[in-house]
């Protein structure tokens, strides 16, 4: 890893200290600079959990990624900067589908003198700040969240009301990397995967979130939500550039699929 290139990518001029203030600075800067996105999955390009290709994609090619990439990059960077960090197993919506969801989310356990924290820049619309591992409600200054004990060794993160997924569970035992690899492969190839079914881009702002799901572009702040439809392939490319800082002109080829998915969902809802 070239840590200086990573810090430049997220707009930090100096190396943060391996403490809570430094973790907060990295977490926030990463989310403000690098969007959550699944364009490679939509384009049929393989996505990996391996760190060097992730660094090349997100840092050198200035792309975004999903949890295995976003938290994979942050975790590698934290280690390089002297933090005590370990990869941990997450399970988005385990409360609804139980153990089959284990490994569909990667999170980071960070041990600090101030306590144990969860770093997660890969949930898409979660907190912009790291999460102290302690039961109770909390806010990131924009939205309200909560953390509770689930069952066994699992904890449960409760997302804000305007979020996408309602929750994810996590436990703090050493991660099973083979499970991450298995779930990463499934989520980018199975027709049952929401990442295969629809385009998703999400980016944090200081006062909220910008979210693109298929044709629907949303802006979410504590004051409410506004949304509009993207009208054509040219506008899609403009939105990816202007809102999400992504230069992916080949995404125009996805437009027929995006429209078909939107029409199918609209018909089902109607």
């Amino acid at each position: 890893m070239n840590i200086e290139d990573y810090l430049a990518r997220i707009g930090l001029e100096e190396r943060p200290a391996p403490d809570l203030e430094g973790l907060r600075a990295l977490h926030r800067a990463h989310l403000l600079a690098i969007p959550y996105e699944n364009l490679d999955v939509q384009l049929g390009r393989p996505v990996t959990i391996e760190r060097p290709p992730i660094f090349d994609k997100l840092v050198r090619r200035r792309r975004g990624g999903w949890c295995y990439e976003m938290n994979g990059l942050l975790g590698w960077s934290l280690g390089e900067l002297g933090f005590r960090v370990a990869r941990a197993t997450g399970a988005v919506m385990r409360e609804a589908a139980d153990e089959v969801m284990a490994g569909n989310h990667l999170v980071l356990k960070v041990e600090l003198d101030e306590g144990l924290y969860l770093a997660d820049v890969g949930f898409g619309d979660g907190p912009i700040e790291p999460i102290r591992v302690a039961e109770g409600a909390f806010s990131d200054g924009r939205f309200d969240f909560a953390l509770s004990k689930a069952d066994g060794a699992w904890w449960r993160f409760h997302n804000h009301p305007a979020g996408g997924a309602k929750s994810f569970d996590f436990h703090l035992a050493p991660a099973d990397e083979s499970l991450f690899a298995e779930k990463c492969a499934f989520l980018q190839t199975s027709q049952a995967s929401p990442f295969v079914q629809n385009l998703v881009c999400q980016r944090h702002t200081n006062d909220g979130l910008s979210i693109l799901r298929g044709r629907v572009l949303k802006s979410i702040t504590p004051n409410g939500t506004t949304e509009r439809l993207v009208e054509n392939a040219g506008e899609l490319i403009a939105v990816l550039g202007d809102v999400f800082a992504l230069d992916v002109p080949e995404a125009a080829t996805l437009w027929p699929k995006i429209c078909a998915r939107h029409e199918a969902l609209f018909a089902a809802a109607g």
Side-chain angles (χ1 to χ4, degrees):
M1 147 129 0
N2 184 325
I3 192 65
E4 308 304 336
D5 284 355
Y6 169 72
L7 294 176
R9 173 71 171 98
I10 64 173
L12 293 183
E13 296 181 354
E14 298 181 356
R15 292 190 176 211
D19 55 20
L20 181 55
E21 182 180 353
L23 179 62
R24 285 174 171 160
L26 283 162
H27 203 279
R28 176 177 285 270
H30 184 118
L31 283 174
L32 290 173
I34 305 179
Y36 178 103
E37 50 107 334
N38 72 333
L39 283 165
D40 279 353
V41 174
Q42 289 287 298
L43 290 164
R45 298 169 177 168
V47 180
T48 181
I49 66 169
E50 299 300 322
R51 298 183 305 179
I54 292 171
F55 183 88
D56 179 68
K57 177 182 174 182
L58 274 63
V59 176
R60 294 198 176 101
R61 294 191 281 127
R62 304 188 70 80
R63 287 282 306 280
W66 62 1
C67 72
Y68 303 110
E69 297 169 303
M70 294 282 273
N71 283 328
L73 178 62
L74 178 63
W76 193 10
S77 304
L78 289 171
E80 291 290 313
L81 290 165
F83 286 87
R84 293 169 288 170
V85 58
R87 290 154 69 95
T89 301
V92 176
M93 290 307 296
R94 177 177 172 270
E95 66 173 304
D98 205 27
E99 300 301 319
V100 70
M101 310 307 279
N104 70 2
H105 189 45
L106 163 66
V107 295
L108 302 168
K109 177 180 69 173
V110 185
E111 297 180 55
L112 301 170
D113 292 343
E114 297 88 345
L116 184 62
Y117 279 78
L118 196 74
D120 186 5
V121 295
F123 190 55
D125 59 6
I128 200 169
E129 300 278 359
I131 304 165
R132 185 176 177 87
V133 181
E135 289 189 274
F138 65 95
S139 172
D140 69 351
R142 308 169 309 164
F143 305 111
D144 295 325
F145 309 91
L147 208 63
S148 66
K149 289 286 186 67
D151 53 285
W154 291 94
W155 289 77
R156 180 160 296 156
F157 165 82
H158 304 269
N159 204 7
H160 60 94
K166 179 182 177 182
S167 70
F168 70 79
D169 292 2
F170 65 94
H171 64 70
L172 302 173
D176 180 350
E177 294 294 332
S178 65
L179 181 59
F180 287 146
E182 175 189 331
K183 293 296 186 179
C184 181
F186 171 82
L187 290 170
Q188 64 188 290
T189 57
S190 172
Q191 291 303 309
S193 167
F195 300 100
V196 173
Q197 294 170 357
N198 212 2
L199 169 68
V200 180
C201 293
Q202 303 185 80
R203 189 177 185 187
H204 285 257
T205 65
N206 283 315
D207 61 353
L209 292 156
S210 297
I211 298 177
L212 178 67
R213 292 186 184 276
R215 289 185 62 194
V216 181
L217 178 64
K218 292 184 178 183
S219 175
I220 303 174
T221 73
N223 295 322
T225 300
T226 60
E227 67 177 60
R228 67 176 178 86
L229 288 182
V230 176
E231 295 297 337
N232 53 56
E235 187 180 359
L236 171 66
I237 300 308
V239 166
L240 291 177
D242 296 342
V243 179
F244 300 98
L246 293 169
D247 181 16
V248 190
E250 59 271 32
T253 63
L254 299 172
W255 186 246
K257 176 183 175 182
I258 290 170
C259 289
R261 174 69 174 170
H262 182 83
E263 290 166 7
L265 290 173
F266 183 79

